[in-house]
Amino acid sequence: MAADDRTLKEAWSSIPSQGEVGIGLERFTGQRMERILSTVGAIGSAALGAQALTAAVTRLNQPDAAHLGMMALVFAPLLWMIVACLIGKGVKPAAGTFTVAYAAALAVWPVVVDRTVREPSNQPWIFFLVNIGVVAAMLAFTPRVQLIWALTLPILYGWVRLVQGDFEQSWWISTGFDVTFTIILGSVIISLAWMFRQVAAGVDEARAQAVEGYASAAAASAAEEERVAMSALMHDSVLAALIAAERAGGERERALAVTMAREALTRLANTEASIAQEGSDAPVSRAQIVAELRRTLSEQGVDAVVEERGSAEAEVPGKVARAMVLAARQAIGNALAHAGGRGLHVLAESASPDRLSVTVVDSGPGFDPEVIGEDRLGIRASIIARMAAVAGKSRIDSDADGTTVVLSWEPS
């Protein structure tokens, strides 16, 4: 049995916790915007890259090693960048590699190009990729570096074109037009990307502030409601029971004090239960209790299950069922708050039709129940006192491997 319990605990501890699943959601809009920018960049790069490749192949008069090496230097990183943008992985390394490779290709262009072709108005195939280099810089670098590349690449292209034309006057007009056009278009690309990213960051920040504000307000409201309820109960039921116990002189008075104390503990343990929930004490089936526990897990957003074992026809009194459900809710809340929901597992077991136990297990860091402060009522009032008020039992075992809370009831 011990080996089976250890195997079960190891299996449940391998399930990712709620906190682990939620990592990265604080930048949801920003991540979606980056995905959109990379996808649009891949589509534009593919279109202009195909145009540049067609021009390079059709104008290849001398298919020597220099020209082929130049094409490989440019189009291999470009293909890598397009694939990385489409699959959404390794975008920054691929885009940065293409930016540097394209700048290197521009730098050696005057050495490789055939200078016998004197057509200043006919742009070479490498011109079609100038703004693709700007797009790659936008995907790979910070805004300041992006602006530098948006100016550097067009100016570098203009310089190598003038070198190719030996700085003749006819080359200045067409080259100046090309450089001006690419600088303007590159600046627009960088500005739009910066604007979209700022909007996405603002949405993420507003969402985080709204969630934080709502959580703070909800916590403050719950704490205030609990304080008021606890104060009323302590003033009325609990103190009245203590006074009756102090003044009890005979057997009848002592029995009455015990009854008052039990009722006070019941009301104290069920502080958060509404009057409608208290209802009658008609028998409640195990299926109803399991349904309530599953609803609790669903409301908490926890991907955990409630396992059932033993007699499916088991029933317990209504007060017992309510106390057990509320105590199990508290144990589940403790597992979420202190263990991050790691390895959370709930077991409802019936050894016989009139007996029921609920076990809440997690694989968190554990704690020492003996060192819990006297003012912390999460375990003492909400679990131990609640089960004691209905003549039930509660057992809490906790160590470095996790925490197990067992709630059980059987007829006396």
Side-chain angles (χ1 to χ4, degrees), residues 238-258 260:
V238 178
L239 291 182
L242 292 175
I243 292 173
E246 181 183 5
R247 294 178 178 179
E251 187 66 27
R252 178 180 176 83
E253 293 177 346
R254 283 194 293 269
L256 179 61
V258 170
M260 292 179 62

Side-chain angles (χ1 to χ4, degrees), residues 335-392:
L336 295 176
H338 304 295
R342 190 178 303 109
L344 179 60
H345 179 48
V346 182
L347 171 64
E349 189 172 10
S350 305
S352 63
D354 58 352
R355 297 185 180 185
L356 178 64
S357 68
V358 175
T359 305
V360 180
V361 181
D362 67 70
S363 58
F367 66 98
D368 185 0
E370 300 298 330
V371 300
I372 298 178
E374 296 293 337
D375 58 334
R376 303 297 296 274
L377 303 178
I379 292 180
R380 287 189 174 87
S382 298
I383 297 180
I384 298 177
R386 177 171 284 135
M387 293 302 300
V390 294

Side-chain angles (χ1 to χ4, degrees), residues 73-74 77-78 81 91-106 129-141 145-146 148-150 152-153 156:
L73 177 63
V74 173
L78 177 60
M81 185 185 77
V91 175
K92 288 188 177 181
T97 301
F98 172 74
T99 304
V100 176
Y102 180 72
L106 280 178
L129 302 177
V130 174
N131 285 123
I132 298 302
V134 177
V135 171
M138 178 268 295
L139 295 174
F141 305 128
V145 180
Q146 295 171 19
I148 294 175
W149 279 104
T152 300
L153 290 180
L156 181 59

Side-chain angles (χ1 to χ4, degrees), residues 168-357:
E168 294 180 359
Q169 184 178 2
S170 59
W171 290 74
W172 282 87
I173 298 177
S174 60
T175 302
F177 175 80
D178 293 340
V179 171
T180 304
F181 172 78
T182 51
I183 288 178
I184 294 175
L185 183 56
S187 301
V188 171
I189 292 173
I190 298 299
S191 300
L192 289 177
W194 177 84
M195 181 184 68
F196 291 148
R197 283 167 170 162
Q198 289 297 109
V199 171
V203 172
D204 286 330
E205 183 178 359
R207 181 192 295 113
Q209 292 177 353
V211 172
E212 183 179 359
Y214 175 78
S216 300
S221 176
E224 181 63 18
E225 290 178 2
E226 183 177 3
R227 185 189 66 80
V228 173
M230 291 294 293
S231 297
L233 285 172
M234 290 296 294
H235 184 271
D236 297 336
S237 302
V238 178
L239 291 182
L242 292 175
I243 292 173
E246 181 183 5
R247 294 178 178 179
E251 187 66 27
R252 178 180 176 83
E253 293 177 346
R254 283 194 293 269
L256 179 61
V258 170
T259 302
M260 292 179 62
R262 181 180 296 277
E263 182 66 21
L265 284 174
T266 301
R267 292 185 177 276
L268 178 63
N270 291 275
T271 301
E272 66 269 31
S274 63
I275 297 178
Q277 284 179 307
E278 292 185 1
S280 66
D281 201 23
V284 176
S285 65
R286 190 186 73 180
Q288 293 176 268
I289 296 176
V290 170
E292 285 294 319
L293 295 177
R294 286 172 177 165
R295 185 169 64 86
T296 298
L297 294 173
S298 177
E299 290 174 352
Q300 296 290 339
V302 183
D303 187 13
V305 298
V306 180
E307 183 183 356
E308 298 182 69
R309 293 181 186 174
S311 176
E313 305 298 327
E315 291 183 341
V316 295
K319 289 183 179 180
V320 175
R322 287 190 293 275
M324 190 168 289
V325 168
L326 292 173
R329 285 180 180 175
Q330 181 65 41
I332 293 172
N334 291 343
L336 295 176
H338 304 295
R342 190 178 303 109
L344 179 60
H345 179 48
V346 182
L347 171 64
E349 189 172 10
S350 305
S352 63
D354 58 352
R355 297 185 180 185
L356 178 64
S357 68

Side-chain angles (χ1 to χ4, degrees), residues 37-56:
L37 290 176
S38 62
T39 302
V40 173
I43 295 173
S45 300
L48 292 179
Q51 183 179 0
L53 180 61
T54 302

Side-chain angles (χ1 to χ4, degrees), residues 71-126:
M71 294 174 61
L73 177 63
V74 173
F75 289 108
L78 177 60
L79 179 61
W80 179 25
M81 185 185 77
I82 293 173
V83 173
C85 290
L86 289 177
I87 65 176
K89 295 182 180 180
V91 175
K92 288 188 177 181
T97 301
F98 172 74
T99 304
V100 176
Y102 180 72
L106 280 178
V108 299
W109 178 263
V111 180
V112 179
V113 71
D114 184 7
R115 296 200 178 190
T116 60
V117 179
R118 312 292 290 182
E119 297 178 357
S121 60
N122 190 8
Q123 295 96 344
W125 61 266
I126 203 169

